[in-house]
Amino acid sequence: MARVIVDVMLKPEILDPQGQAIARALPRLGFSGVSEVRQGKRFELELDGEADEAALAGVRKMAETLLANTVIEEYTVRVEG
């Protein structure tokens, strides 16, 4: 059994209003030193077998099909542990 992490973030050129709202709220909450926030999504997948290249290709296909909107988001796939 293997755990694979898929991190999805808006592409750098895409405006991130949620990240901007968080960045504006931080100073009001007493936090300083943060100039920008980008908000994303994280998916943790437990695979039945090992995370070989075929399994990771399947996870990439899942990310492209369902987990990420590849028009405005990019994703990374990594094996945990």
Side-chain angles (χ1 to χ4, degrees):
M1 194 175 250
R3 177 176 290 204
V4 177
I5 308 299
V6 179
D7 290 308
V8 179
M9 295 293 294
L10 287 171
K11 292 180 178 179
E13 63 272 14
I14 302 297
L15 181 66
D16 183 358
Q18 289 177 312
Q20 290 176 340
I22 293 166
R24 286 191 304 270
L26 289 173
R28 292 193 308 265
L29 296 171
F31 299 101
S32 61
V34 177
S35 59
E36 184 179 354
V37 176
R38 302 285 291 175
Q39 190 232 326
K41 302 178 277 189
R42 173 184 163 126
F43 299 92
E44 297 182 6
L45 306 172
E46 292 285 339
L47 304 182
D48 290 333
E50 59 184 87
D52 58 14
E53 197 50 47
L56 292 177
V59 171
R60 286 185 201 95
K61 186 68 175 170
M62 290 176 212
E64 291 174 13
T65 305
L66 177 65
L67 305 179
N69 176 350
T70 56
V71 173
I72 61 169
E73 295 173 321
E74 54 193 15
Y75 66 89
T76 58
V77 175
R78 63 186 166 89
V79 179
E80 186 173 76

